C-alpha cells in the first residue's frame, strides 16, 4: 500500500533553508557514490551538536552516556530521529519530555539505531538486514511501495521509521548518518506476545496454536548455560590458513534459538476451502474443520511410518495413531493437527526475506534459488524458493518467494505444483525469537510434497543445515560484495561486516566433533568459488566430525559432496551411519586429474562449443566424459551456479558472462559421489568425516554443499538428470 509521509515534509522544507545541514537528493540511485554526500569532517557527535533539529535525540544520547561513543573513531551507521519523531515517541509512551525516559531505556534507544558498519542507501537491496548494537535486526525495505510526498521511494526501517530522502547518506568521519522520521523502537517481546498482539487476521491458526500448546513452545530464546561455558574457549583464534588465505575465527557471543511461522490467514481459508470454513462458524467448528484438513493431509500409510504413528506404545499395546488421532489429544506430537501446525513452523528465525533464501550466484535462467529447511515436525523438510523463471504459468508472481513450489519437469511427470505464495504482513512480524509470514495456502509434508516436489536433485548448502548459524547471524553475515580483506585476519571484524566464526564443541545441535577439531564458519564472499559464496572449513590434524543428514522421504538416494579442490586441502574418509564409504576424498585433486578424468579447457576455460560459448569440446564429447567421470565417482560442477571473477564487479546476484565463471567450466569445482543411502522411515541417518592426512597442519575438509538425488533419477535406468 502506498504511504505518504506528509507529517515531516514541511520540516524538510524548513531544513532546506538551514545552511548548516547538508542536503542530498535520493531520486536517482544510479548516481555515482560521491554524488550523494559532501564530506564534512564531523563526527556523529558533532552532527548532533551542530544540527538543532536533532536536539531531542542529542539529549537521549547524553542521558544514555553515549556521546563519547559517537565521538570515537569507527565505521558506523546512525539513524537519528528528527525532533518531530521524538515528540511522537514521547506522546506514544506517555512521557512529558526526554527527561522522563529512564536512562537505561535511553541507552537502548541509542543502541537500536546504531549499526557497526558503514551503510549507504545506494548499496541496499530491496530488503536488507543488519544487526544493531543490541544484536537485534535492522530491516530496511526499499521496494517502491512506500513513497514520500514527492513520490520518491522511501527506505523504511523495521516497518516503522522512514529514512528522510533529502537528508540521507550524510558522511561523517566515523561513518554515515541517515536521519529518520520516527524513533526506532526495538521489539524485545518473545514470540507468544507478538502473535497475541497481531493475530486479528489469523484467529483460526492462532487458536489452533494455543489448543495444541505449540504457542507455548515458542518461548525458547537464549541458552543461558552457554553464557557460562563459552568462557572455557578463547574469544578469538590465532590466524589460521584456510584454502589460500588466513582467517581469525571469533567465538559466538551467544547461543540464540528462534522460529519462523508460515501462517494462513482466515480470509485465505474461507476462500480456498469454502466447503470447510466460513465466517459464521463458531471457533470450535473452525478448529474441527482444520483438524479434518490435517487428517486428510497425513492419513496415509507412508506418513504413519515416517512419523512413528504405526509404532506401538508398550503400556497400552495400541499404536500412537490409535491413541492420539482424536480431537481430545491436540497437544500430542502424534496428533494430526499438531503435526499439521508443526510443519508450518521452521526451526530457525528468519526476521526478513533478506536471509530467507540465499540468492547469490544462482544462474536464474536455469535454476531458482532454493533452500531445503527443517521444520518443527520431526523427519520433515520444507522447500523455500525464490521463483525467477517465467516458464511456469502456475505462478502468478514472478521473482517472488514460494513454499513447496516446483516447476513442471520430467521428474514429476511434467506436473506443476504451485505451492504457497509467501508475503510479509503489513504489521510488525518479528520479535526476539519469532517471525511470521503469510502464505496463501496450507502446506504439508504429504504425498505430493514427498513424491513429487522432492523427487528431484536436492542441493543443500551446509550453512543452512544447522539452525544456530541462522539464529546467531553467522549465515549470510556481512556484505558478500566485500572481497577478502585484512579484517578477515583480525579481531576487529571484516570490512564486509560481521566476523568469521569458530564454534566450540556442543554449540550446534545434532553434530559432534572432537576438541582438537576446528569448525570454522566463513563469511560469504562472492568472489570465492564456493557455492553461494560461503562454506564451512573443518580443520585439525585429526579432525573427526559426525552430523545428521537432512530429512528426505524414505527411499534410495545418491549422496554427493560438492567442493572446491585446493592444494592446501586434505584427505578425509566419509562414513554413513558409521560405515566407511569407498576411498577417502582427496580434496587436492582437480576434476581433470587422471583418477577423475574430466575434460577441461584450462583452469576456467569454456568447455562446450555447441552452446555458442566458444568451448573446445562438442556436446557429445562432454556427455561421454560425464559418464567417464561418473564411473570414477565424480561429477562436474553445475551449470546453474557461478561465481564472480575478480572484485568490485557485482552489485546484484545476477549472472554476467563478462564477469562470472560457471562452476561447470572450472576444473577445481566438482562433486564427489559418496554412496547410495537407503533412507529409512522414522530414522535419522548420519555422516562422519575423519581426517586421514595426519601429516598436514592445516589441510582441512570443505563443507560447501551436498546433494541428495533419488536413484530413480540418477541410477541405472533412471530418468537422468540435467547439468544445472
Amino acid at each position: 500500500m502506498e504511504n505518504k509521509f506528509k507529517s515531516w515534509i514541511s520540516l524538510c522544507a524548513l531544513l532546506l533553508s538551514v545552511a548548516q545541514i547538508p542536503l542530498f537528493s535520493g531520486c536517482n540511485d544510479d548516481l555515482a557514490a560521491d554524488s550523494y554526500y559532501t564530506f564534512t569532517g564531523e563526527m556523529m557527535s558533532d552532527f548532533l551538536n551542530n544540527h538543532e533539529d536533532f536536539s531531542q535525540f542529542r539529549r537521549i544520547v547524553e542521558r544514555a552516556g553515549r556521546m563519547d561513543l559517537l565521538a570515537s573513531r569507527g565505521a558506523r551507521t546512525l539513524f537519528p530521529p528528527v525532533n518531530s519523531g521524538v515528540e511522537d515517541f514521547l506522546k506514544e509512551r506517555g512521557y512529558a519530555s526526554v527527561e522522563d525516559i529512564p536512562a537505561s531505556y535511553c541507552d537502548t534507544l541509542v543502541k537500536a539505531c546504531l549499526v557497526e558498519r558503514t551503510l549507504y542507501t545506494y548499496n541496499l537491496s530491496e530488503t536488507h538486514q543488519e544487526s544493531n548494537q543490541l544484536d537485534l535486526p535492522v530491516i530496511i525495505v526499499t521496494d517502491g511501495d512506500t513513497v514520500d510526498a514527492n513520490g520518491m521511494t522511501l527506505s523504511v526501517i523495521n516497518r516503522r521509521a522512514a529514512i528522510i530522502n533529502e537528508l540521507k547518506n550524510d558522511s561523517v568521519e566515523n561513518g554515515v548518518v541517515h536521519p529518520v522520521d520516527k524513533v526506532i523502537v526495538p521489539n524485545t517481546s518473545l514470540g507468544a506476545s507478538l502473535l497475541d498482539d497481531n493475530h486479528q487476521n489469523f484467529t483460526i491458526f492462532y487458536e489452533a496454536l494455543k489448543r495444541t500448546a505449540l504457542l507455548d513452545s515458542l518461548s525458547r530464546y537464549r541458552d543461558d548455560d552457554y553464557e557460562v561455558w563459552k568462557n572455557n574457549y578463547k574469544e578469538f583464534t590465532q590466524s589460521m590458513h584456510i584454502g589460500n588465505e588466513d582467517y581469525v575465527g571469533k567465538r559466538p557471543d551467544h547461543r540464540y534459538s528462534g522460529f519462523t511461522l508460515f501462517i494462513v490467514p482466515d480470509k485465505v481459508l474461507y476462500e480456498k476451502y469454502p466447503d470447510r470454513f466460513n465466517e459464521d462458524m463458531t471457533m470450535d467448528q473452525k478448529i474441527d474443520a482444520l483438524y479434518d484438513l490435517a487428517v486428510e493431509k497425513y492419513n496415509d500409510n507412508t506418513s504413519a511410518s515416517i512419523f512413528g504413528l504405526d509404532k506401538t506404545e508398550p503400556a497400552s499395546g495400541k499404536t500412537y495413531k490409535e491413541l492420539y488421532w482424536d480431537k481430545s489429544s491436540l497437544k500430542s506430537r502424534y496428533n494430526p493437527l499438531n503435526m499439521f501446525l508443526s510443519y508450518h513452523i521452521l526451526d530457525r528465525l528468519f526476521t526478513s526475506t533478506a536471509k530467507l533464501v540465499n540468492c547469490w550466484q544462482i544462474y536464474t535462467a536455469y535454476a531458482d534459488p532454493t533452500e531445503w529447511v527443517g521444520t518443527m515436525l520431526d523427519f520433515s523438510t520444507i522447500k523455500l524458493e525464490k521463483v525467477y523463471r517465467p516458464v511456469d504459468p502456475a505462478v502468478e508472481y514472478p521473482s517472488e518467494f514460494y513454499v513447496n513450489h516446483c516447476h513442471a519437469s520430467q521428474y514429476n511427470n511434467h506436473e506443476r505444483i504451485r505451492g504457497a505464495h509467501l508475503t510479509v504482513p503489513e504489521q510488525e512480524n518479528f520479535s526476539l525469537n519469532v517471525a511470521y509470514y503469510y502464505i496463501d495456502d496450507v502446506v504439508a509434508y504429504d504425498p505430493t510434497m514427498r513424491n513429487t516436489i522432492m523427487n528431484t536433485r536436492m542441493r543443500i548448502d551446509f550453512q543452512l543445515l544447522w539452525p544456530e548459524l541462522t539464529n546467531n547471524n553467522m549465515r549470510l553475515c556481512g556484505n558478500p560484495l566485500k572481497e577478502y580483506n585484512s579484517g578477515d585476519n583480525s579481531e576487529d571484524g571484516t570490512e564486509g561486516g560481521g566476523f568469521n566464526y569458530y564454534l566450540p564443541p556442543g554449540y550446534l545441535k545434532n553434530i559432534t566433533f572432537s576438541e582438537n577439531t576446528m569448525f570454522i564458519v566463513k563469511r560469504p564472499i562472492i568472489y570465492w568459488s564456493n557455492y553461494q559464496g560461503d562454506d564451512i572449513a573443518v580443520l585439525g590434524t585429526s579432525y573427526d566430525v559426525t552430523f545428521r543428514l537432512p530429512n528426505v522421504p524414505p527411499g534410495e538416494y545418491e549422496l554427493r559432496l560438492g567442493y572446491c579442490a585446493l592444494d592446501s586441502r586434505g584427505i578425509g574418509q566419509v562414513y554413513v551411519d558409521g560405515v566407511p564409504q569407498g576411498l577417502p576424498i582427496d580434496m587436492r585433486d582437480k576434476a581433470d586429474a587422471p583418477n577423475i578424468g574430466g575434460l577441461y579447457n584450462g583452469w576456467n576455460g569454456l568447455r562446450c562449443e555447441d552452446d555458442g560459448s566458444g568451448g573446445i569440446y562438442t556436446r557429445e564429447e562432454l556427455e561421454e566424459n560425464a559418464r567417464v567421470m561418473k564411473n570414477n565417482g565424480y561429477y562436474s560442477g553445475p551449470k546453474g551456479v557461478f561465481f564472480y571473477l575478480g572484485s568490485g564487479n557485482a552489485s546484484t546476484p545476477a549472472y554476467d558472462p563478462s564477469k562470472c565463471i560457471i562452476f561447470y567450466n572450472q576444473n577445481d569445482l566438482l562433486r564427489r559421489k559418496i554412496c547410495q543411502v537407503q533412507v529409512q522411515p522414522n530414522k535419522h541417518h548420519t555422516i562422519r568425516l575423519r581426517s586421514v592426512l595426519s601429516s598436514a597442519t592445516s589441510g582441512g575438509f570443505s563443507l560447501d554443499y551436498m546433494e541428495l538425488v533419488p536413484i530413480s533419477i540418477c541410477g541405472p535406468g533412471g530418468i537422468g538428470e540435467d547439468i544445472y
Side-chain angles (χ1 to χ4, degrees), residues 576-589:
V576 173
D577 292 335
V579 179
Q581 303 296 326
L583 296 174
I585 298 180
D586 190 336
M587 287 197 166
R588 302 169 299 180
D589 288 340

Side-chain angles (χ1 to χ4, degrees), residues 32 71 101 238 318 354 465 475 493 497 513 557 670 693:
I101 306 175
Q238 296 179 336
K318 295 182 178 180
L465 201 59
R475 171 182 170 265
F513 51 85
Y557 296 82
L670 64 164
L693 188 64

